[in-house]
Amino acid sequence: MAASRNGQSPGVFRANRRHFLLGGAIAGIGATTAVAADYALGSGRRPEQDPTPTPLNGSNTVPFYGEHQAGIATDAQAYATVLALDIRAGVDRDGLRRMMLILTDDAARLTQGQSALADAEPELAVAPARLTVTFGFGQRFVEIAQAEAPGWLRPLPSFGVDRLEPAFSDGDLLIQVAADDPLTIAHTARMLLKDARTFTTVRWTQNGFRRAHGSVKAGTTMRNLFGQVDGTSNPVPGTDGFDHVVWNTDGWLAGGTSVVVRRISMDLDKWDRLDRGGKEQSVGRYLSNGAPLTSSSVGEAAEFDEPDFAATSRAGFPVIPEFSHIARARSDHEDERIFRRAYNYDDRPADDAISNSGLLFISFQADVDAQFVPIQDRLDQLDLLNEWTIPIGSAVFAVPPGCLDGGYVGETILG
Amino acid sequence: MAASRNGQSPGVFRANRRHFLLGGAIAGIGATTAVAADYALGSGRRPEQDPTPTPLNGSNTVPFYGEHQAGIATDAQAYATVLALDIRAGVDRDGLRRMMLILTDDAARLTQGQSALADAEPELAVAPARLTVTFGFGQRFVEIAQAEAPGWLRPLPSFGVDRLEPAFSDGDLLIQVAADDPLTIAHTARMLLKDARTFTTVRWTQNGFRRAHGSVKAGTTMRNLFGQVDGTSNPVPGTDGFDHVVWNTDGWLAGGTSVVVRRISMDLDKWDRLDRGGKEQSVGRYLSNGAPLTSSSVGEAAEFDEPDFAATSRAGFPVIPEFSHIARARSDHEDERIFRRAYNYDDRPADDAISNSGLLFISFQADVDAQFVPIQDRLDQLDLLNEWTIPIGSAVFAVPPGCLDGGYVGETILG
């Protein structure tokens, strides 16, 4: 397919192009030298560089082709830009197929550090930094594709806590672009949007971040802007439990999954008025290490201790309040589990505010109605955290399986 | 000063607090383990982690105290959030002094990986990742401080290319927060804004990024979203040339400088319609390696070759067009130089656009009128790049010198 778009052997093209680009991208002197000079000149300032050079992580790649799309079981990258597109009127099934062929080819190249075909800024493609591109199909996409939609592929039932804004909700095609480098994400998102422009318009875009790659130990559970350890109780990729929770096994979605994207506004000012004890009670975990309140607040291992919801204080009250977030989110049903892969957002504050912050909640699960909705129902009815958080965006997409070299994402309904 | 705010010995407080926090921040298991398990289970997928663990860079710090403020000569971090605040009516010189005492204390602590006093989210302070906080004073700040303002401390003369929006222009107090970790920046910006809230309102905030720390070799000149190598011809910190260009030597600004912050919108769609040769002619440099067009387009060293503006093609035309950006920016006067420390921005596109991108241009120079304005005058009159770029924000601040432990930023006019 690659050769069909420029008539050149992709292998040769890539080798030459990469050599050419890398020559330009990795420059020799600059601020590192400058800092050393500063030090040598005896200005008294310590060098501000790492004492030892670290290996470059810009060249790390995540395989694109496979049974499942990348960007789901992939250890979450530092940044994500999530795009929701609307299909233009008049685009038919054949149009969708052509679009997904092109977008798949772009994603396959860019994730491996190669420029896309007709890439106007090929120099920006040289540092993939674990780039992944993950596609999801909305209700209307599946309709136009004339495929059978799973019952859950529709807006979520409305929850009492929701204050949804159309500017952050719904959409026909989702593209999650994630990487450890923000320049790579900006270039990739633009490249994909250029190639999708004939077929779609931008409905919304949301940017999110975690700790930078290398800031803290790999595998550290993220913290959100409330300071909470967020995502402790999550299925672990590579285990049977994860596979059961995440991968769908039905028809064209076999090897795929569903994604729920919700924008959760967090009222940091109100949160800050709560004392530390109150904050910990509202979640049911210590802020220090994320351990359940029935465990130890010290030591990294305690984070993963099982909460003891039966434990009571000397006064007879539950140690983990029954209205705390973890008590309400917990299900007795084995099947009511989801895999969370969230990002923080921190946008320009409006009016008199000093923050416009929250969580770009992203969860993957085989079946939205069977797994996500019951949890959200319980949280909607009663969850202490609702006092400080408001969902302001919501969208659901079917995430098709991955593809092999020569195939494309979406071939199971468009092929 | 630190002790005066909580009555505790800062040393003891810090040691205990850090020990406590680090226990929680560095968790043991998670996705890394998961990937290893995935591999061991023979799923056929390559591990997506680095093969070798990289040293953590979250603990890297830049000294806060010194003759000059940090964040200027500091090798540019991966991210910056730039805040411009307006002083509330009724705040007097004494108020400004109290504010700068508090903000200095916050910055001194947070940049060293310690939580600020009354920090509601102390766990977010543990990974400074080369955090710097740099303060600049606008015209009105200096007026209220009853100090003599340098003649250049006012809005820049209006240039023909400008389409300035008040939402990105001017302001009384600038805070540049820069680090290699976006969560650190979000927490720091919020902490500073909370402590400044009694005295100021937010006028504008702008977020920018470069390549992530460790993506490419340290010292690599940044690329902007046009794909250009941006910032090659820049004074090198630690050299006499840099000191001469940047540091002011007059009165209360001795050891300080000035900063010009301009938001330059870049029309990526229009730029993409230009062919590669046209793009290179408009700047006067190769896109591949940033070398001047009179040098070689291959090899990293060529980036720093001197452009030969006298060279002509066989047809007799200058190899570097006289209206190219580098030809117009270049001055015959030794003194007309500035130090650039820019960031890219990539915000949510509006309406039918697919990009809202550009450059958060930041330059430091001892004297705005003598150094920045003549360059911008020439670029305004004629610069091929003007075809694709529009300045939409502009602000000028006086950047006071640094301070020593026990002092505060601004003491040279407020003390």
Side-chain angles (χ1 to χ4, degrees):
Chain A
M1 189 190 67
S4 72
R5 282 179 71 199
N6 69 353
Q8 233 180 333
S9 156
V12 172
F13 175 78
R14 286 172 190 173
N16 289 343
R17 174 61 72 102
R18 269 186 77 72
H19 177 78
F20 172 71
L21 295 180
L22 284 166
I26 302 178
I29 66 167
T32 308
T33 317
V35 171
D38 187 24
Y39 195 53
L41 287 167
S43 69
R45 289 175 55 205
R46 280 194 294 137
E48 293 161 354
Q49 293 296 113
D50 301 346
T52 52
T54 50
L56 299 182
N57 56 51
S59 55
N60 293 344
T61 56
V62 176
F64 177 77
Y65 296 112
E67 182 187 356
H68 310 299
Q69 288 193 67
I72 302 166
T74 308
D75 186 22
Q77 300 96 326
Y79 314 94
T81 288
V82 186
L83 312 164
L85 312 181
D86 283 338
I87 299 167
R88 287 182 190 275
V91 172
D92 61 6
R93 185 170 185 273
D94 189 56
L96 294 186
R97 194 171 49 79
R98 279 184 288 129
M99 175 176 69
M100 292 312 301
L101 274 163
I102 296 170
L103 296 183
T104 298
D105 186 57
D106 287 346
R109 289 168 186 268
L110 290 166
T111 56
Q112 305 310 304
Q114 295 144 14
S115 51
L117 294 177
D119 193 331
E121 278 77 46
E123 284 83 3
L124 300 184
V126 295
R130 299 201 304 129
L131 173 68
T132 57
V133 177
T134 315
F135 300 99
F137 300 155
Q139 196 174 9
R140 192 160 157 260
F141 188 110
V142 177
E143 263 173 40
I144 297 174
Q146 299 164 20
E148 197 182 350
W152 45 256
L153 188 56
R154 60 178 189 284
L156 293 175
S158 45
F159 300 104
V161 291
D162 289 355
R163 298 289 177 272
L164 302 185
E165 300 172 16
F168 297 119
S169 297
D170 306 326
D172 300 336
L173 173 64
L174 177 89
I175 311 181
Q176 174 193 270
V177 181
D180 288 327
D181 188 293
L183 189 57
T184 299
I185 290 190
H187 173 250
T188 303
R190 175 163 169 79
M191 192 67 229
L192 295 166
L193 287 176
K194 275 198 285 188
D195 279 341
R197 178 153 49 180
T198 321
F199 309 96
T200 62
T201 54
V202 178
R203 187 180 177 90
W204 51 256
T205 77
Q206 302 189 54
N207 298 325
F209 60 88
R210 294 172 163 226
R211 283 258 178 240
H213 178 88
S215 259
V216 294
K217 206 158 64 175
T220 303
T221 311
M222 74 170 265
R223 283 189 188 264
N224 62 33
L225 291 166
F226 279 170
Q228 300 164 339
V229 175
D230 192 319
T232 297
S233 176
N234 224 10
V236 177
T239 63
D240 287 348
F242 177 90
D243 291 348
H244 182 68
V245 165
V246 172
W247 304 125
N248 197 299
T249 52
D250 293 337
W252 65 267
L253 256 183
T257 181
S258 74
V259 63
V260 172
V261 180
R262 285 167 68 82
R263 188 175 181 87
I264 319 248
S265 163
M266 291 166 37
D267 189 336
L268 298 186
D269 282 340
K270 195 171 176 186
W271 179 251
D272 280 351
R273 287 195 290 272
L274 198 60
D275 67 14
R276 204 163 166 92
K279 289 177 175 180
E280 292 177 335
Q281 296 264 318
S282 73
V283 187
R285 291 187 180 278
Y286 288 109
L287 285 165
S288 58
N289 61 350
L293 296 180
T294 47
S295 189
S296 166
S297 65
V298 179
E300 55 188 56
E303 179 192 347
F304 299 95
D305 287 351
E306 274 299 305
D308 177 2
F309 293 108
T312 52
S313 67
R314 274 181 297 179
F317 294 108
V319 177
I320 298 175
E322 51 188 318
F323 305 144
S324 67
H325 184 70
I326 62 165
R328 297 295 300 171
R330 180 67 55 123
S331 172
D332 294 333
H333 299 283
E334 180 76 10
D335 283 348
E336 291 178 7
R337 295 196 71 198
I338 59 176
F339 176 67
R340 287 168 292 159
R341 200 175 185 282
Y343 286 88
N344 300 306
Y345 76 81
D346 186 40
D347 284 2
R348 238 195 319 268
D351 305 327
D352 255 7
I354 65 164
S355 296
N356 173 5
S357 310
L359 192 74
L360 181 51
F361 173 94
I362 300 175
S363 78
F364 296 93
Q365 53 282 308
D367 184 313
V368 177
D369 284 351
Q371 297 169 258
F372 178 89
V373 173
I375 299 172
Q376 186 56 39
D377 260 337
R378 280 197 305 280
L379 294 177
D380 186 44
Q381 285 155 27
L382 209 48
D383 168 12
L384 282 179
L385 263 191
N386 289 345
E387 194 65 31
W388 302 275
T389 61
I390 303 172
I392 58 172
S394 184
V396 176
F397 301 89
V399 178
C403 65
L404 301 180
D405 198 351
Y408 64 97
V409 174
E411 63 193 3
T412 56
I413 51 170
L414 297 167
Chain B
M1 187 191 69
S4 72
R5 285 178 69 197
N6 70 351
Q8 234 180 333
S9 157
V12 172
F13 175 79
R14 286 172 190 174
N16 290 341
R17 177 58 73 99
R18 270 187 76 72
H19 177 79
F20 172 71
L21 296 179
L22 283 166
I26 301 178
I29 66 168
T32 308
T33 318
V35 170
D38 188 25
Y39 193 53
L41 289 165
S43 68
R45 289 176 52 205
R46 279 195 294 137
E48 292 162 354
Q49 293 294 113
D50 302 345
T52 50
T54 49
L56 300 182
N57 57 51
S59 55
N60 293 345
T61 56
V62 176
F64 177 76
Y65 295 112
E67 183 187 355
H68 311 298
Q69 288 193 69
I72 303 166
T74 307
D75 186 22
Q77 300 96 325
Y79 315 94
T81 288
V82 186
L83 313 163
L85 312 181
D86 283 338
I87 299 167
R88 288 183 190 274
V91 172
D92 60 8
R93 185 168 185 274
D94 190 56
L96 294 186
R97 194 170 50 81
R98 280 185 287 129
M99 174 175 71
M100 291 312 302
L101 275 164
I102 296 168
L103 296 183
T104 298
D105 187 57
D106 288 346
R109 289 169 187 268
L110 290 166
T111 56
Q112 306 310 303
Q114 295 145 13
S115 51
L117 293 177
D119 193 331
E121 278 77 45
E123 283 84 2
L124 300 184
V126 295
R130 298 202 304 130
L131 173 67
T132 58
V133 176
T134 315
F135 299 99
F137 299 156
Q139 196 172 10
R140 190 159 158 261
F141 188 110
V142 177
E143 263 172 40
I144 297 173
Q146 299 164 18
E148 196 182 348
W152 45 257
L153 188 56
R154 61 176 188 284
L156 293 175
S158 46
F159 299 104
V161 292
D162 289 356
R163 299 288 177 273
L164 302 186
E165 301 172 17
F168 298 118
S169 297
D170 305 327
D172 299 338
L173 173 64
L174 176 89
I175 311 181
Q176 174 193 271
V177 181
D180 288 326
D181 188 292
L183 189 58
T184 299
I185 289 188
H187 173 250
T188 302
R190 175 163 168 80
M191 192 66 229
L192 294 167
L193 287 177
K194 275 198 285 189
D195 279 341
R197 180 153 47 181
T198 322
F199 309 96
T200 62
T201 55
V202 178
R203 185 180 179 90
W204 51 256
T205 77
Q206 302 190 55
N207 298 325
F209 60 87
R210 296 172 163 224
R211 284 257 178 240
H213 178 88
S215 259
V216 294
K217 206 158 64 176
T220 303
T221 310
M222 75 170 266
R223 283 188 188 264
N224 62 33
L225 291 165
F226 279 170
Q228 300 164 340
V229 175
D230 191 321
T232 298
S233 176
N234 223 11
V236 177
T239 63
D240 287 347
F242 178 90
D243 291 348
H244 181 69
V245 166
V246 172
W247 304 125
N248 196 298
T249 51
D250 294 336
W252 65 268
L253 257 182
T257 180
S258 74
V259 63
V260 173
V261 180
R262 287 171 63 86
R263 188 174 180 88
I264 318 246
S265 165
M266 290 165 35
D267 189 336
L268 297 185
D269 283 339
K270 194 172 177 186
W271 178 252
D272 280 351
R273 288 195 289 272
L274 198 60
D275 67 15
R276 205 165 165 88
K279 288 176 176 179
E280 292 177 335
Q281 295 264 317
S282 73
V283 187
R285 291 187 180 277
Y286 289 110
L287 286 164
S288 58
N289 61 351
L293 296 180
T294 45
S295 190
S296 166
S297 65
V298 180
E300 54 188 57
E303 178 192 348
F304 299 95
D305 287 351
E306 273 298 306
D308 178 0
F309 294 107
T312 52
S313 67
R314 274 182 296 178
F317 294 108
V319 176
I320 298 175
E322 52 187 318
F323 304 144
S324 66
H325 185 70
I326 62 165
R328 296 296 302 173
R330 179 65 56 119
S331 172
D332 294 334
H333 299 284
E334 181 76 6
D335 283 348
E336 292 178 7
R337 295 195 71 195
I338 59 177
F339 175 67
R340 288 168 291 159
R341 201 174 184 283
Y343 286 89
N344 300 305
Y345 75 81
D346 186 40
D347 283 2
R348 240 196 317 269
D351 304 326
D352 255 7
I354 64 166
S355 297
N356 173 5
S357 310
L359 192 74
L360 182 50
F361 173 95
I362 300 175
S363 77
F364 296 93
Q365 51 284 307
D367 183 313
V368 177
D369 284 350
Q371 297 169 255
F372 178 89
V373 173
I375 299 172
Q376 185 58 39
D377 260 338
R378 278 197 306 279
L379 295 177
D380 186 44
Q381 286 155 25
L382 208 49
D383 169 11
L384 282 179
L385 264 190
N386 289 345
E387 194 66 28
W388 301 275
T389 61
I390 303 173
I392 58 173
S394 184
V396 176
F397 302 89
V399 178
C403 65
L404 300 180
D405 198 350
Y408 63 96
V409 175
E411 63 193 2
T412 56
I413 51 172
L414 297 167

